[in-house]
Amino acid sequence: MAYQVGRSRKIRESLELVDDNGNVVTTVYTDIDADKIAKEFNKRVNAIIRAEIAAKSLPKSGEITAMTTEQAEAANASVQSYGEAVINLFQLIFGDEGTQTILDFYDNAYFEMSMQVFPFILDVVKPRIEDSVRKMQERAKQNYEIGRASCRERV
């Protein structure tokens, strides 16, 4: 039997954007190579987490009127940082065109958009990436063990 090699399987999924009546307005597709994006995926998710932590340190809505100029600038920077982090992750998952479709659908309402779209990323995309990484690690371990066994046979 011949030794077989193949290419990693891509994550191909669809996300339907629906209106208030449940009618599909548009569909956004993913077509990503989990092996290639795994490291970048984690970086971008961590950027969102850092932005959320920074946002939590801001004054609460009742305290906004008492904000100094520096606090207001920090709040704006925090919100902007969060929005950029969300867009960066979406671009990795949905591509530029898909991300723009999602932004248009949610009319740039980043928090609403992230609350609605993140479950898809966390429940569908992330497990597939983690599974792909686990399989890569298993292949690497097997290759290492095969290499070690063949070296011992030569000695």
Side-chain angles (χ1 to χ4, degrees):
M1 182 170 145
Y3 188 86
Q4 296 180 342
V5 297
R7 300 206 50 194
S8 59
R9 301 183 92 190
K10 290 190 172 196
I11 299 173
R12 290 188 172 103
E13 293 288 341
S14 59
L15 175 69
E16 294 179 340
L17 304 175
V18 297
D19 63 16
D20 295 337
N21 299 320
N23 300 316
V24 176
V25 174
T26 189
T27 304
V28 179
Y29 299 93
T30 64
D31 186 13
I32 52 180
D33 184 337
D35 292 348
K36 288 184 180 178
I37 71 157
K39 186 175 181 180
E40 190 62 31
F41 177 83
N42 287 329
K43 281 184 187 177
R44 294 184 190 198
V45 168
N46 288 336
I48 291 171
I49 292 168
R50 284 190 303 275
E52 286 176 345
I53 290 169
K56 287 180 182 178
S57 69
L58 297 172
K60 306 293 180 247
S61 60
E63 303 167 349
I64 290 178
T65 54
M67 264 200 245
T68 66
T69 304
E70 288 176 359
Q71 289 172 324
E73 288 173 0
N76 286 336
S78 180
V79 170
Q80 184 175 354
S81 176
Y82 178 80
E84 289 172 0
V86 168
I87 289 172
N88 286 336
L89 179 63
F90 282 18
Q91 287 172 329
L92 183 68
I93 303 298
F94 302 108
D96 293 337
E97 187 176 317
T99 299
Q100 190 58 53
T101 300
I102 294 169
L103 285 168
D104 292 345
F105 179 79
Y106 283 101
D107 196 28
N108 296 326
Y110 295 106
F111 290 105
E112 177 188 9
M113 178 178 65
S114 62
M115 294 298 291
Q116 297 296 321
V117 178
F118 276 143
F120 170 79
I121 293 172
L122 297 176
D123 297 341
V124 177
V125 176
K126 184 179 180 202
R128 301 268 307 268
I129 291 172
E130 290 170 345
D131 184 53
S132 179
V133 167
R134 193 172 26 262
K135 287 178 181 174
M136 264 193 318
Q137 290 170 339
E138 289 170 5
R139 285 190 305 266
K141 181 180 176 187
Q142 288 173 349
N143 289 342
Y144 176 73
E145 289 171 357
I146 289 170
R148 284 187 55 183
S150 67
C151 287
R152 277 189 239 132
E153 290 172 7
R154 290 183 208 159
V155 176

